[in-house]
Amino acid sequence: MKILMVCLGNICRSPLAEGIMQHLSDEQGLGWEVDSAGTGNWHVGEAPDRRSIRAARNHGVDISKQVCRVFRRSDFDEFDHIFVMDKSNLSNVLNMARNDTDAQKVSMLLGDKIVPDPYYDDNQFEPVFTLIEDGCKAIIKRLVE
Ligand code: 4NP
């Protein structure tokens, strides 16, 4: 199973989602491959935001080696499922879909709820970690059963 996590900048939320989902998959021996990308290109080539790195490290997840990249159309071919953080990510990604097969791979990580962008609020990183962790666990339950 190949999973792609997508947000706007690929430095705050989707790196956490990649790290958490890869960690859970490894822990449970699922053999999933997880990656992340952003719809914006401002931070390409950079490591995740230090606040995301810290929040992840506090929970035993190392995301410090990740490198920011932009979402590309070929990701629809490479991945089985593409999870986005909010409605704006959803429309950005769906706008790049070529057909129904592409579009059907895309959904919000939390279903009908959003993962808020923590970029402008240092205090949001810890709650965002928990939201994403809960979302990842629910997805594993759904896809594995
Ligand atoms: P992310 O947060 O989408 O969770 O990575 C953001 C990080 C940076 C920017 C926007 C959102 N930015 O505009 O640089």
Side-chain angles (χ1 to χ4, degrees):
M1 181 85 76
K2 293 191 72 173
I3 305 262
L4 184 68
M5 304 297 195
V6 177
C7 65
L8 177 59
N10 190 214
I11 55 166
C12 296
R13 291 166 293 176
S14 58
L16 280 172
E18 174 187 339
I20 292 167
M21 189 64 106
Q22 189 66 66
H23 183 79
L24 291 169
S25 162
D26 294 348
E27 220 171 44
Q28 300 179 31
L30 302 177
W32 291 5
E33 287 176 49
V34 189
D35 194 9
S36 65
T39 57
N41 63 2
W42 310 283
H43 299 280
V44 166
E46 294 176 20
D49 187 288
R50 66 185 63 220
R51 297 165 296 178
S52 280
I53 293 177
R54 190 183 315 122
R57 196 194 309 119
N58 288 342
H59 294 267
V61 179
D62 179 16
I63 64 167
S64 64
K65 306 294 189 300
Q66 292 182 24
V67 179
C68 174
R69 74 165 175 90
V70 81
F71 178 78
R72 45 186 179 248
R73 204 165 257 121
S74 60
D75 286 325
F76 288 115
D77 300 319
E78 198 180 329
F79 293 92
D80 302 298
H81 295 280
I82 297 168
F83 293 107
V84 302
M85 303 298 132
D86 62 31
K87 289 181 180 161
S88 153
N89 307 151
L90 185 65
S91 54
N92 288 335
V93 170
L94 286 178
N95 279 338
M96 289 174 68
R98 297 155 298 187
N99 50 48
D100 284 353
T101 310
D102 286 357
Q104 279 161 12
K105 293 185 174 187
V106 189
S107 54
M108 294 221 294
L109 184 83
L110 300 181
D112 53 1
K113 285 194 300 176
I114 65 153
V115 180
D117 188 348
Y119 191 59
Y120 296 104
D121 185 351
D122 294 353
N123 297 319
Q124 282 305 305
F125 282 80
E126 194 57 40
V128 157
F129 181 97
T130 305
L131 272 179
I132 292 174
E133 184 180 42
D134 290 347
C136 288
K137 287 178 174 169
I139 288 164
I140 289 176
K141 257 189 120 176
R142 200 171 70 238
L143 294 182
V144 167
E145 277 165 11

